[in-house]
Amino acid sequence: MLLAQISDLHIQLAGAQSELIQAEAHLSRCVDTLNRLDPRPDLVLITGDLTESGKKEEYLILKPLLEKLDIPYLLIPGNHDSTAMLRASFPEHAYLQGDTPFIQYTIDTWPLRIVALDTSVPMHSHGELCAARLDWLANTLAQEPSRPTVVLMHHPPFNTGIKLMDDIGLLQGREAFTEIIAPYRNIERILCGHLHRTIMCRVGNTVASTCPGTAHQITLNLGSPSALHFNFEPPGYQLHSLGAHGLVTHHAVIGEFPGPYQF
Ligand SMILES: [Fe+2]
Ligand SMILES: [Fe+2]
């Protein structure tokens, strides 16, 4: 099974920042890149911050761009999304629907089980996992304790060292989350977004990783800057391939580069 992961699309309405970021054009290039992949991924995982402000008009721009994907895709919300608008904009995505305040779901139809958590907090940038969300996770993992599983969540459950992003990281429920997942040996990976770049860290008995943004990247600065910056390092995606020895991850960039040249 081959999964592609993209993240932090930040589709936004016209404005000064949108001209700079060009989120729509970047997403189009990303979709074209994924559609050209051979072998084609079975599924695209999109790990949150689908829009900039959670506005209906932004989801109206997002949806036709995603519908150009030749590959089925799964969505999770990030801190820039709106649960209500996301559900209303993708009514045919049954896994998003329900009357719960959070969008958490499992997909059990693939060799790799997908468990999606919602770390978003309405009107805030940071993430949380409250008791209700953690209880759901504990019960869900207990149902399939040996099947290969990935957990999706927007805010990563570790400090990255990019301080101003850690300040708006998963601020509540992180220790309890780690305690819940620690006994399981079947969690291949915790796949996250929010950081707009690739970062990895051991969490419990597995590895948590973040994915590049499809448009702008968070500047790598492990010092103590007074402000958070983004830049236009090449955007990217990840490919997660499930084989006999577990999940292997490739980081890939989007863009046109010289080559290939034969060795
Ligand atoms: Fe983001
Ligand atoms: Fe985010």
Side-chain angles (χ1 to χ4, degrees):
M1 183 179 183
L2 186 62
L3 297 162
Q5 182 188 359
I6 63 173
S7 202
D8 294 82
L9 288 43
H10 286 269
I11 295 298
Q12 50 204 271
L13 303 179
Q17 209 177 51
S18 88
E19 256 176 52
L20 177 63
I21 293 177
Q22 296 193 24
E24 291 170 54
H26 277 108
L27 180 56
S28 276
R29 278 193 284 273
C30 176
V31 166
D32 289 345
T33 299
L34 296 179
N35 282 342
R36 282 197 300 267
L37 288 173
D38 183 17
R40 202 172 81 166
D42 297 294
L43 200 55
V44 180
L45 309 172
I46 310 181
T47 43
D49 283 359
L50 313 170
T51 64
E52 179 67 19
S53 314
K55 292 191 180 105
K56 180 183 173 188
E57 294 78 11
E58 293 172 330
Y59 290 105
L60 287 174
I61 298 169
L62 170 70
K63 193 170 182 185
L65 292 170
L66 290 180
E67 283 178 345
K68 293 199 173 113
L69 270 172
D70 296 331
I71 310 162
Y73 58 92
L74 295 176
L75 303 166
I76 67 168
N79 51 295
H80 283 264
D81 290 302
S82 153
T83 301
M85 284 302 162
L86 180 54
R87 282 176 167 153
S89 304
F90 291 88
E92 69 283 14
H93 285 233
Y95 62 90
L96 293 174
Q97 307 307 321
D99 51 10
T100 55
F102 317 117
I103 295 179
Q104 301 201 141
Y105 59 87
T106 62
I107 304 291
D108 288 311
T109 48
W110 299 91
L112 189 68
R113 187 179 198 221
I114 295 164
V115 174
L117 290 180
D118 186 344
T119 55
S120 62
V121 185
M123 311 307 290
H124 288 277
S125 299
H126 74 280
E128 291 182 9
L129 285 172
C130 60
R133 283 176 272 191
L134 289 166
D135 284 349
W136 180 91
L137 175 66
N139 290 332
T140 299
L141 292 178
Q143 289 162 8
E144 290 270 10
S146 54
R147 191 161 148 215
T149 296
V150 287
V151 175
L152 311 183
M153 55 201 287
H154 180 67
H155 297 80
F158 62 89
N159 271 347
T160 64
I162 299 177
K163 187 178 177 312
L164 295 176
M165 287 304 287
D166 292 339
D167 288 347
I168 54 166
L170 185 65
L171 299 187
Q172 189 191 311
R174 192 191 309 183
E175 292 75 18
F177 169 83
T178 304
E179 274 177 37
I180 289 168
I181 64 156
Y184 291 93
R185 298 285 173 165
N186 60 318
I187 301 175
E188 289 289 334
R189 199 69 49 80
I190 300 164
L191 302 177
C192 313
H194 194 51
L195 266 295
H196 295 228
R197 57 187 311 111
T198 296
I199 310 170
M200 285 157 262
C201 182
R202 181 167 68 84
V203 174
N205 285 304
T206 186
V207 173
S209 58
T210 63
C211 185
T214 53
H216 49 314
Q217 313 305 307
I218 301 285
T219 300
L220 175 57
N221 187 331
L222 301 180
S224 304
S226 56
L228 190 62
H229 295 98
F230 62 88
N231 63 28
F232 292 100
E233 289 170 37
Y237 63 96
Q238 291 173 341
L239 281 178
H240 308 288
S241 172
L242 182 68
H245 301 289
L247 201 67
V248 175
T249 293
H250 300 262
H251 167 92
V253 293
I254 298 166
E256 298 294 320
F257 305 98
Y261 306 103
Q262 192 169 350
F263 279 107

